[in-house]
Amino acid sequence: MRREDRIRLSVAQEAARLMYEEGVREYRDAKRKAARRFGPEKALSLGSHLPSNAEIHGELQRLIGLHEEEVLPERLLRLRCAALRLMEMLAPFEPRLVGSVLTGAVTEQSDIDLHLFAASHEEVEEFLRGKGIPYELEVVTIRHGGEFFDYPHVYLDDDGVVVECTIYPLADIRRIPKSSITGKPMERASAKKLRKLVAEGEEFDGKG
C-alpha cells in the first residue's frame, strides 16, 4: 500500500473511532481532528491524504458491526420507533427522517435527524409551544455558490436522545439535498415509509 493510501486509511479509521467512541457528529470535524493526531506535517491536512466521508462512514459501520452486533437491532428499533412517534406528532410539517437512524449505522450517541417543511421556523416554534414541548433554536448560515442561506435548526430532547429538526421552506420538499457521504441525493423517509420498515423489521433499501 502506498504511503498516501496508508495515511488515508489511518485517518479514516481514527475519524471513525472519534465518531464512535467520542461522539463527534460531523465527518468534517472528525476528519480534521484525526489528521491532526497523526503529526504536524502539512500533507496530513490537505487534499488526497484526507479520506472521503464515504470512507469514514465505511470504517464507522465496520466498528459498529464489530462491537455492537448483538445490541444494534434493539437500539435501531428503539430509535426508529421514537422517530416515528415524533414524525406523527410533527405531521403538519411533512417530516422526513434522514441520517444514521434511517441508514442503520447507529451508535450509543446517535441522535434523530428530521427535515421539516414550513412557511417559517416561527410556525414550528408556535406549534411546539402549543404542545408544551421545550426546544432550542439555532440558525445556521450556509453558503451555496455566491449566496448565503439560513437554515433554522430546532433541537428537542426525547428521553435523553437529541432530536435535530432542520426546517426547510415548503417549496423544498421535492428538492432533495445531496448527501455529505455519497454526494448523491440524500436518503429520506416519510412516516409512511418508516412505519413500514418498523412493522416489517426491514433494512433500509434507499428507495422511496
Side-chain angles (χ1 to χ4, degrees):
M1 183 182 292
R2 294 184 308 167
R3 178 176 179 274
E4 292 83 358
D5 292 334
R6 286 198 301 271
I7 292 175
R8 286 175 66 92
L9 178 59
S10 296
V11 173
Q13 290 174 337
E14 174 63 8
R17 187 196 68 79
L18 289 167
M19 298 182 79
Y20 177 71
E21 295 183 0
E22 300 184 18
V24 177
R25 293 188 55 205
E26 299 294 333
Y27 286 91
R28 175 189 58 192
D29 297 337
K31 189 184 305 186
R32 289 175 177 173
K33 290 182 70 173
R36 288 199 296 268
R37 295 191 182 189
F38 282 88
E41 294 91 345
K42 186 176 180 181
L44 286 176
S45 61
L46 294 177
S48 63
H49 293 283
L50 288 180
S52 66
N53 290 351
E55 289 173 293
I56 297 172
H57 183 71
E59 289 297 323
L60 179 60
Q61 287 183 308
R62 184 182 65 81
L63 282 177
I64 293 172
L66 182 65
H67 296 290
E68 308 200 30
E69 183 178 2
E70 294 184 1
V71 300
L72 182 59
E74 184 278 332
R75 175 186 294 151
L76 181 58
L77 178 60
R78 173 169 49 84
L79 287 170
R80 283 180 170 175
C81 286
L84 180 58
R85 174 170 45 80
L86 290 163
M87 292 171 76
E88 290 172 342
M89 185 267 292
L90 293 164
F93 306 109
E94 299 286 345
R96 299 290 187 271
L97 177 66
V98 300
S100 60
V101 176
L102 178 58
T103 63
V106 292
T107 69
E108 189 175 353
Q109 296 90 6
S110 289
D111 58 6
I112 295 172
D113 290 300
L114 300 177
H115 287 180
L116 307 182
F117 302 89
S120 67
H121 66 82
E122 289 86 358
E123 183 181 357
V124 177
E125 291 184 83
E126 183 179 355
F127 177 86
L128 294 172
R129 286 195 298 267
K131 290 188 171 294
I133 299 173
Y135 66 89
E136 293 183 9
L137 174 70
E138 177 186 23
V139 178
V140 178
T141 301
I142 297 178
R143 181 174 181 173
H144 292 294
E147 296 185 78
F148 292 89
F149 299 87
D150 290 335
Y151 290 99
H153 294 248
V154 168
Y155 296 91
L156 313 176
D157 182 284
D158 186 75
D159 195 24
V161 177
V162 175
V163 183
E164 180 178 354
C165 303
T166 306
I167 303 171
Y168 291 88
L170 290 169
D172 282 2
I173 193 167
R174 299 193 182 281
R175 298 173 187 167
I176 303 177
K178 288 186 177 180
S179 167
S180 64
I181 299 173
T182 65
K184 298 177 181 179
M186 182 180 292
E187 297 170 341
R188 303 194 302 190
S190 64
K192 180 180 178 181
K193 175 67 176 180
L194 181 58
R195 191 177 300 113
K196 182 176 183 292
L197 292 177
V198 169
E200 299 181 5
E202 295 180 356
E203 293 295 325
F204 181 62
D205 61 9
K207 301 175 182 178

